[in-house]
Amino acid sequence: MRDTLLIALYAFAGAAVTGLLGAAALRLLRRRSLTASLAVVAAVGVVAMLAGTLAVAWAMFLSSHDLSVVTTVVAMAAAVSLATALVLGRWVVARSRELALAARSFGEHGDFAAPEVPATAELAAVSRELAATSAKLAESRERERALETSRRELVAWISHDLRTPLAGLRAMSEALEDGVAAEPDRYLKQIRTEVERLNDMVGDLFELSRIHAGTLSLSPSRMSLYDLVGDALAGADPLAREHGVRLVGDRVEPVPVEVDGKEMSRVLGNLLVNAIRRTPPDGTVAVAAERGPDGVVLSVTDGCGGIPEDDLPRVFDTGWRGSHARTPPAGAGLGLAIVRGIVEAHQGRATVHNIPGGCRFEVVLPTTAS
């Protein structure tokens, strides 16, 4: 028993010294190729065995012949181990370089194509993660391009929309100043109308900038949709009378919601104004509010005749108007973009779909516990 313990002690001592030297070598080579590290690991295993064997042989006074036999066996094992480590290292390094080249093309061109040659499980996992990241970045770039296009269109449209009333205001003010206005009261009334339209446009731009910047601050409170819809209908009634449109709100349930009353009133107001302006005289705009499977559903139905299917995905985009005409009373094309921004800030969603004779805008809000 004592001899066995001594053999184990001498073998451990020889292997431990080799292991410490191998750890130091690995630390020095930690920034070098994986091939070198694998060679060191293989060498440590073989040399540790050789060192332990030599230590035991020296302690037990093994014959020189037996020692040479053991040394030869260990040397052959070392040669095979090192060759195997080098082959494995070169293979892993080659796969790593292929993955690095694929990642480089991913950074330059935006698309990642995983190497077709099989790799280790770890490299395959990295490849899958890069492919997933590539897909996400592609979506992000597409959204960025869409936003950039939307911003450019918005700048162009707003420039046009500001230039038109400003030119009219200048012409009318010059006519009043020169005393050549045939009907000064009518000119003053028109000036006030244009100023109010410009003020509304600036207000919409400010609201939209807060939404895009993520600085829209909400002050939610518990209220009934019945009261919210009632106030919105009362506010839109004069415009509906002016356009000869009938407002209906007979399917409104007194459902409690946790919303910012001011912002949600703006949502309803924008939807109602949009519906009234696009509904022909003697048409009907209906408002409904009820519980749905996904939350509280607030809908505004108009008689616009429907929206082309190609335009449906762009209805809530900034600057969308549904036609190429940039003349009033179409507005600046910001109302529906503001609707979507406010609704999403409430953790809801805004959608639109066609119905016979018109379209229905729906706002889905999270349900509030009773």
Side-chain angles (χ1 to χ4, degrees), residues 34-35 38 83-93 120:
L34 181 62
T35 303
L38 287 174
T84 304
L86 290 174
V87 171
L88 176 61
R90 291 177 64 84
W91 183 81
V92 173
V93 168
T120 63

Side-chain angles (χ1 to χ4, degrees), residues 41-215:
V41 171
V44 166
V46 175
V47 174
M49 183 175 62
L50 178 60
T53 302
L54 291 176
V56 172
W58 174 78
M60 296 179 64
F61 302 101
L62 197 66
S63 67
S64 59
H65 175 269
D66 293 342
L67 183 59
S68 65
V69 171
V70 172
T71 305
T72 303
V73 172
V74 172
M76 294 300 100
V80 173
S81 298
L82 288 174
T84 304
L86 290 174
V87 171
L88 176 61
R90 291 177 64 84
W91 183 81
V92 173
V93 168
R95 300 293 81 77
S96 299
R97 286 175 178 171
E98 291 175 357
L99 186 59
L101 289 174
R104 185 181 304 166
S105 65
F106 162 43
E108 294 174 351
H109 308 293
D111 295 324
F112 176 77
E116 297 180 358
V117 182
T120 63
E122 292 78 9
L123 292 178
V126 173
S127 180
R128 288 193 297 270
E129 289 298 325
L130 286 173
T133 302
S134 174
K136 292 178 182 178
L137 286 178
E139 294 176 1
S140 177
R141 282 191 298 270
E142 188 62 31
R143 286 196 300 270
E144 184 65 26
R145 280 194 290 266
L147 285 174
E148 184 61 27
T149 301
S150 178
R151 290 191 194 100
R152 291 179 180 177
E153 291 179 352
L154 176 62
V155 170
W157 293 343
I158 291 298
S159 299
H160 178 276
D161 291 340
L162 288 174
R163 206 164 33 236
T164 300
L166 286 175
L169 287 172
R170 182 173 62 182
M172 288 185 286
S173 62
E174 289 175 352
L176 290 172
E177 184 180 2
D178 295 339
V180 297
E183 302 179 47
D185 291 341
R186 185 173 66 85
Y187 275 49
L188 291 173
K189 183 179 179 181
Q190 184 62 28
I191 287 175
R192 180 170 181 175
T193 300
E194 294 296 336
V195 169
E196 289 177 351
R197 191 161 75 89
L198 288 173
N199 182 68
D200 292 341
M201 189 183 303
V202 171
D204 286 346
L205 283 172
F206 178 69
E207 184 79 359
L208 195 62
S209 68
R210 288 200 303 162
I211 291 172
H212 285 170
T215 58

